[in-house]
Amino acid sequence: MWCTGSPLRSVITPRYITNAGFNLRTTVADVIDQNGNWKWPQAWFDLFPVLITISVPNLDSNAEDRLVWKDVDGKPGDFKSAQVWNTIRSQEHHAPWANMVWFSQCIPRHAFHMWLAFRNKLKTQDRMAVWEAGSQTNLNLMCCPLCNYDRDSRDHLFFQCNFSAQVWNKVKAMVNLTNVDTTWSSILNWVEQHSRSKSVDHIVSKLVIAAASYYIWQERNNRLSTNSKRTVDQVAEMVKGSVRLRLMSFRFRASSAKERIFKAWQICNDDVVDPG
């Protein structure tokens, strides 16, 4: 980028370049004469007014061309793969729920599910209706397979559905989520306030939210595909068991916090295997 308008072949058509005796591989030095003037035809200034603003550069014949990497702000620097990625990727604002989905103690399959849920990309019935999948009659007959009432959606499943609400109320009692009700907006409000927290209680709460939504979604899919049904207590125990297993591999900074968490989740120290 030797000038703001370069490369000039993006401005001047190939036909005019060829008619003037140049080609697409012609360099800047090739179009400067010995007196330091442009060699291109005078008519080009009328055809391509941008050329009027381009002054003849001072070329040092003893210097060699070199490649210089510039970042997204145009600042030259060392070539790094991280800089390349930041340049070519599509950059958006940091999602307020990102730390709720991806954190070091997360359960990967639960995290991926939460990522879809926060983006509202789960294949719920309300989204299928927008896609116009199936006949209109079949769409009108759709209802939540958990409570058999109303068409399921993300906000309905987590956790306004009667079945989901019962599961949620059972598992949220295990952690400090008493102020979070059965609405998705209430969960989002908690996430925005605590998702970045390093507190062990908030980390366990994030595990509970992710596990609850994951197993409710799993139960919903099982009822649609196999017609098998679990009770509220069974699903709640699956949530608790999943979180309990994850807690057994935690590295606690304070022994008092470990004792308190283990007592609340009924974990015996004899059952814990040292992850180191």
Side-chain angles (χ1 to χ4, degrees):
M1 298 291 290
W2 61 275
C3 75
T4 56
S6 63
L8 294 183
R9 64 182 181 187
S10 64
V11 179
I12 307 172
T13 61
R15 186 179 68 175
Y16 281 103
I17 293 175
T18 303
N19 290 341
F22 308 121
N23 58 65
L24 296 180
R25 305 178 74 85
T26 298
T27 64
V28 176
D30 293 334
V31 292
I32 300 176
D33 62 22
Q34 295 179 350
N35 297 323
N37 299 316
W38 293 118
K39 289 184 181 180
W40 55 55
Q42 186 67 30
W44 279 16
F45 291 103
D46 298 326
L47 295 171
F48 312 106
V50 68
L51 299 180
I52 299 175
T53 63
I54 301 176
S55 58
V56 181
N58 182 21
L59 300 180
D60 185 355
S61 59
N62 296 323
E64 294 183 358
D65 290 341
R66 61 189 179 91
L67 295 175
V68 178
W69 177 260
K70 292 185 178 182
D71 59 20
V72 291
D73 298 323
K75 298 179 180 179
D78 297 331
F79 178 86
K80 297 179 181 179
S81 58
Q83 289 283 4
V84 177
W85 169 240
N86 286 328
T87 301
I88 64 176
R89 72 185 178 97
S90 175
Q91 301 186 51
E92 299 181 0
H93 295 295
H94 186 80
W97 43 260
N99 294 96
M100 170 67 203
V101 175
W102 313 113
F103 56 103
S104 58
Q105 301 87 354
C106 73
I107 300 174
R109 64 179 183 273
H110 296 183
F112 181 71
H113 165 79
M114 288 302 295
W115 178 70
L116 293 175
F118 278 114
R119 290 171 56 85
N120 199 17
K121 297 296 184 180
L122 294 171
K123 294 182 180 179
T124 50
Q125 293 171 358
D126 63 324
R127 296 194 69 235
M128 292 177 64
V130 174
W131 298 340
E132 297 182 356
S135 67
Q136 192 62 39
T137 301
N138 291 335
L139 292 175
N140 291 334
L141 292 175
M142 283 184 174
C143 62
C144 173
L146 298 177
C147 64
N148 297 319
Y149 178 78
D150 202 3
R151 183 178 295 171
D152 76 353
S153 64
R154 179 196 61 186
D155 292 14
H156 174 77
L157 290 171
F158 315 125
F159 299 97
Q160 292 178 330
C161 164
N162 182 53
F163 182 93
S164 300
Q166 292 182 66
V167 174
W168 173 239
N169 288 326
K170 285 180 177 292
V171 299
K172 80 171 186 177
M174 301 290 295
V175 288
N176 187 21
L177 290 172
T178 53
N179 294 329
V180 181
D181 58 28
T182 58
T183 62
W184 183 253
S185 59
S186 179
I187 294 172
L188 282 179
N189 185 54
W190 185 92
V191 167
E192 291 178 359
Q193 295 181 35
H194 305 294
S195 64
R196 293 177 179 271
S197 172
K198 301 297 183 181
S199 164
V200 64
D201 293 302
H202 291 151
I203 291 174
V204 177
S205 295
K206 291 196 288 185
L207 289 172
V208 169
I209 294 173
S213 61
Y214 176 84
Y215 284 107
I216 286 173
W217 178 250
Q218 185 185 76
E219 177 63 18
R220 177 259 192 196
N221 292 339
N222 286 342
R223 294 192 179 195
L224 287 175
S225 58
T226 64
N227 202 31
S228 61
K229 296 182 180 181
R230 296 188 182 97
T231 65
V232 168
D233 289 334
Q234 287 175 323
V235 176
E237 284 304 314
M238 292 181 68
V239 174
K240 294 178 183 178
S242 179
V243 175
R244 189 177 291 113
L245 286 174
R246 185 66 186 90
L247 291 175
M248 290 170 65
S249 63
F250 262 34
R251 292 181 179 272
F252 292 89
R253 294 181 180 179
S255 58
S256 58
K258 179 179 179 180
E259 292 177 3
R260 177 171 55 83
I261 296 295
F262 275 29
K263 181 179 179 180
W265 287 86
Q266 299 178 350
I267 301 174
C268 179
N269 283 319
D270 296 335
D271 297 330
V272 179
V273 178
D274 186 356

